[in-house]
Amino acid sequence: MIIRIENLYHTYMKGSPFEKQSLNDVTLDIAQGEFIGLIGHTGSGKSTLIQHLNRLIKPTKGKIYILGKDITDKEINIREIRSKVGLVFQYPEHQLFEETVYKDIAFGPLNAGVSEECVHERVLEALKFVGLEESVLEKSPFELSGGQKRRAAIAGVIAMKPEILVLDEPTAGLDPAGRDEILFQIKSMHTKLNMTVILVSHSMEDIARIVDRIVVMHEGKIAMTGTPGQIFKQIKRIEQMGLSAPQVTYVMRALKDKGWAVKDEIFTVQQAKNELLRLLEGNND
Amino acid sequence: MIKDITLGQYFPGNSVVHKLDPRVKIILTLLYITALFIVTNFKGYIVFGLFTFIIISISTIPHRFVFKGLRPLLFIIVLTAFINMFMTKEGVILYGIGPLVATDKGVEMAIFMVLRLLFLIMGTSLLTLTTSPILLTDGIEKLLNPFKKIGVPAHELAMMMTIALRFIPTLLEETDKIMKAQMARGADFESGNLLKRAKGLVPLLVPLFISAFRRADELATAMESRCYRGGDQRTRMKQLITDKRDYIAIVVMIALIAALIMMRLL
Ligand SMILES: Nc1ncnc2c1ncn2[C@@H]1O[C@H](COP(=O)(O)OP(=O)(O)OP(=O)(O)O)[C@@H](O)[C@H]1O
Ligand SMILES: [Mg+2]
């Protein structure tokens, strides 16, 4: 197990009148190379959980092991953990600060102690990964468009070459083409480098089509885990938690209710297309 | 971490002290501070301390929370005690190290000054702890209204204070978020010498300023598009009302001051 979380509890502002328990007995194992989708209603504790993974937040109680090392231990080398677990925050473009895009992307690797030459290579590589032109490198990050800023910020984390990549709603507020492209890049990085990825998202469609396993959080607890199929077929249960199945699932269910002979356990547009084609071709025979 | 500062913070509650009209509360706080200067002997401080203790108890705010507000000012309190103790030259000498000589009068002065400071801080923090920032600025605006005639921009001042107070938590949150995002990229805000630390703040300050300016801009646009213009002829959704409890509070305060004057004269 590359990540092992054992009985994790966390309370914000402990001891003040604003005390708020955000994680309640979370236990979770994630294997090397898994692509995890983390979903949950707003305020369910997703962001809190992922910030524990590189010790930006310290647990109130419980243990976290990353690559076999207990990171709740005081003696741990925090820098090393932070270069192994890359964390892309919600709206990462708000963290850009350097004079040029190049310098901003290089910030992470330089902090991690990578040599100047290697940094240069990594910056170019990361830039390619997020689909930006090399011509932006010498521009100020503040001249870029919103989508380009987002990509530059994600590149800043990817350039650190983390073994585990955690993304908190990386596509929120992007146009559909930009969203698809970024998701595709993340997926291909996952396959090519056999990276472990945790993706937080409110888009059930995106989650259904790219992750291996879904973890559902509800009120600070892990409510369900399983493949997209296992999770989304329990529509009632996830609706009770303020979530939903992908839209196409509802379409297929409606078709079935109208008497069409389609399977209703369909979670992506691709699956739906195949199923409908099968049905139509079958009818033609 | 930054959120630990309690001075000037609001502690929500439902007590009588919370419900007092903010105008009355501000005036009472001013009277409380004045009363502090009437006291000149230990008996007076005991009465004063009891009074403060009772008010804090009525306000339902944990006592330790009020004391926590003193911590950032500890240095000033200690310094005051030190200066008063060694700068007073009259009285019988108790002990002396070189030029530092402490007399009985000096020790007395030091104790009095420290007590005065403590009560001053506790009294004013009780005001901010029990009054929401919005009510507080409303109260200040109303109290400043008479001075409008001589050109004090009461409404504008109050609006500026409201906005500033409103954005403190937002900015703290933003700072926390950006700090974490940069720490995730290996930034270090805690170690190194002064120069290194100052340099290390750049990745925090640049995004913070940009977002503060963006927010200010957005807020201005939002206010303007809703036709905001200051001061005159604006009505309020919540009117400040002076109630029976306010009159009782005023009477209690006057009684305290009267008692303190009596004790001083007798
Ligand atoms: N800095 C903080 N201080 C106090 N409480 C917080 C803080 N951050 C989050 N919380 C609270 O902790 C709970 C979990 O928040 P968290 O941000 O982890 O939710 P989330 O699942 O990421 O939600 P979203 O989908 O909206 O991003 C919420 O109830 C929130 O109000
Ligand atoms: Mg979140």
Side-chain angles (χ1 to χ4, degrees):
Chain A
M1 290 297 138
I2 192 163
I3 300 176
R4 158 162 254 157
I5 301 170
E6 285 175 2
N7 308 99
L8 185 67
Y9 289 79
H10 183 265
T11 307
Y12 279 108
M13 302 201 248
K14 207 172 171 50
S16 82
F18 308 102
E19 193 171 284
K20 165 88 201 164
Q21 179 164 30
S22 48
L23 293 179
N24 184 356
D25 198 9
V26 170
T27 298
L28 180 68
D29 279 342
I30 294 172
Q32 150 71 32
E34 260 192 304
F35 198 130
I36 298 279
L38 185 57
I39 60 176
H41 191 251
T42 171
S44 56
K46 305 180 295 293
S47 302
T48 309
L49 178 65
I50 57 173
Q51 286 173 42
H52 274 90
L53 298 179
N54 59 4
R55 231 177 77 151
L56 288 171
I57 299 183
K58 284 182 205 141
T60 308
K61 213 169 90 189
K63 295 260 174 240
I64 302 165
Y65 299 92
I66 303 279
L67 295 156
K69 269 193 208 154
D70 178 6
I71 63 158
T72 53
D73 189 353
K74 278 208 185 70
E75 306 289 300
I76 203 80
N77 181 346
I78 297 185
R79 252 191 197 189
E80 193 188 316
I81 292 298
R82 293 202 176 139
S83 64
K84 292 213 164 113
V85 184
L87 191 57
V88 178
F89 274 79
Q90 247 161 332
Y91 298 103
E93 58 273 27
H94 292 169
Q95 75 197 34
L96 297 169
F97 72 96
E98 275 286 10
E99 290 155 66
T100 65
V101 174
Y102 181 93
K103 282 191 186 169
D104 211 285
I105 300 178
F107 181 67
L110 284 177
N111 280 332
V114 177
S115 73
E116 295 272 353
E117 275 161 49
C118 286
V119 167
H120 185 72
E121 250 169 57
R122 283 195 185 193
V123 169
L124 294 182
E125 223 175 297
L127 200 73
K128 222 164 92 195
F129 241 116
V130 296
L132 281 178
E133 303 277 323
E134 277 189 33
S135 59
V136 301
L137 279 180
E138 292 312 316
K139 282 195 183 162
S140 151
F142 304 107
E143 286 172 38
L144 305 183
S145 78
Q148 287 176 317
K149 275 187 200 160
R150 176 78 55 92
R151 284 162 207 245
I154 295 178
V157 174
I158 288 172
M160 297 173 74
K161 289 209 173 173
E163 288 177 41
I164 302 166
L165 182 63
V166 186
L167 304 112
D168 199 347
E169 295 183 47
T171 56
L174 287 186
D175 64 30
R179 190 188 66 207
D180 282 356
E181 200 179 333
I182 286 191
L183 285 179
F184 172 76
Q185 301 288 9
I186 295 168
K187 183 77 186 169
S188 75
M189 194 152 38
H190 164 74
T191 357
K192 267 190 221 154
L193 309 174
N194 195 26
M195 201 183 249
T196 311
V197 181
I198 302 178
L199 174 70
V200 178
S201 176
H202 283 296
S203 161
M204 300 304 140
E205 284 71 29
D206 293 346
I207 292 278
R209 76 191 155 137
I210 79 169
V211 309
D212 304 331
R213 183 153 71 101
I214 295 181
V215 175
V216 185
M217 292 202 66
H218 185 57
E219 294 178 349
K221 289 187 177 171
I222 297 208
M224 303 156 82
T225 71
T227 61
Q230 289 166 341
I231 300 289
F232 288 133
K233 88 183 164 197
Q234 309 182 46
I235 292 194
K236 280 265 143 52
R237 207 166 149 210
I238 55 176
E239 279 180 353
Q240 273 166 8
M241 295 188 269
L243 300 169
S244 70
Q247 302 245 310
V248 63
T249 310
Y250 292 99
V251 173
M252 296 308 269
R253 288 208 161 196
L255 284 177
K256 194 179 176 193
D257 287 344
K258 293 235 166 203
W260 290 52
V262 289
K263 282 196 290 183
D264 59 355
E265 289 179 14
I266 299 275
F267 309 107
T268 66
V269 174
Q270 190 63 40
Q271 285 171 353
K273 179 179 156 199
N274 293 342
E275 181 67 9
L276 288 177
L277 281 177
R278 185 187 62 79
L279 193 75
L280 293 174
E281 278 163 10
N283 282 351
N284 283 346
D285 285 345
Chain B
M1 39 186 160
I2 320 170
K3 290 181 181 153
D4 289 339
I5 301 169
T6 61
L7 200 72
Q9 196 180 313
Y10 173 53
F11 194 106
N14 229 341
S15 70
V16 186
V17 185
H18 283 86
K19 284 188 198 144
L20 286 180
D21 183 328
R23 288 171 296 185
V24 173
K25 233 188 292 185
I26 294 169
I27 294 178
L28 289 182
T29 308
L30 292 177
L31 284 178
Y32 175 94
I33 294 169
T34 323
L36 199 48
F37 290 93
I38 300 172
V39 181
T40 45
N41 53 21
F42 275 111
K43 257 191 282 167
Y45 278 114
I46 291 171
V47 172
F48 210 85
L50 264 175
F51 177 78
T52 310
F53 185 83
I54 291 169
I55 299 290
I56 296 176
S57 302
I58 295 175
S59 74
T60 64
I61 290 170
H63 287 81
R64 72 178 160 77
F65 212 81
V66 182
F67 287 119
K68 240 166 76 180
L70 297 172
R71 210 181 299 156
L73 298 166
L74 202 64
F75 175 72
I76 298 181
I77 295 170
V78 172
L79 190 73
T80 310
F82 189 82
I83 291 177
N84 275 290
M85 186 137 66
F86 294 111
M87 292 301 157
T88 312
K89 294 287 175 229
E90 328 148 38
V92 186
I93 293 177
L94 294 179
Y95 58 86
I97 321 157
L100 294 178
V101 179
T103 64
D104 59 348
K105 271 259 178 319
V107 172
E108 201 183 298
M109 270 298 265
I111 294 175
F112 281 176
M113 284 315 280
V114 166
L115 282 174
R116 235 173 234 182
L117 260 178
L118 289 183
F119 286 126
L120 190 75
I121 298 163
M122 284 201 280
T124 40
S125 44
L126 203 58
L127 173 68
T128 52
L129 279 169
T130 60
T131 319
S132 78
I134 302 288
L135 282 181
L136 198 61
T137 44
D138 260 13
I140 292 175
E141 181 181 346
K142 280 277 150 59
L143 288 176
L144 286 179
N145 257 346
F147 300 103
K148 262 191 184 162
K149 288 201 188 71
I150 56 164
V152 177
H155 174 78
E156 284 73 11
L157 281 176
M159 184 51 105
M160 268 156 62
M161 270 173 67
T162 313
I163 293 175
L165 287 170
R166 157 68 187 77
F167 277 98
I168 289 173
T170 313
L171 280 182
L172 286 182
E173 213 170 276
E174 191 96 6
T175 312
D176 197 49
K177 213 186 112 190
I178 297 170
M179 248 173 129
K180 278 181 179 163
Q182 307 297 24
M183 275 153 75
R185 292 207 280 165
D188 185 357
F189 295 108
E190 273 140 24
S191 60
N193 59 24
L194 211 59
L195 190 69
K196 208 176 140 219
R197 275 200 214 192
K199 262 192 181 160
L201 284 179
V202 173
L204 172 65
L205 292 180
V206 172
L208 198 59
F209 272 103
I210 289 173
S211 100
F213 283 129
R214 195 188 57 232
R215 271 177 209 285
D217 220 38
E218 282 170 2
L219 183 69
T221 314
M223 284 169 80
E224 239 158 48
S225 58
R226 284 193 269 168
C227 303
Y228 169 82
R229 63 196 172 78
D232 287 342
Q233 285 149 34
R234 278 179 80 79
T235 52
R236 312 193 153 264
M237 190 166 84
K238 284 196 181 139
Q239 295 291 342
L240 299 179
I241 303 164
T242 318
D243 204 358
K244 209 165 77 190
R245 54 173 169 256
D246 296 302
Y247 297 117
I248 297 176
I250 294 172
V251 171
V252 170
M253 184 54 87
I254 291 175
L256 174 79
I257 294 178
L260 291 175
I261 292 177
M262 295 277 279
M263 286 177 79
R264 186 172 174 167
L265 294 181
L266 293 182

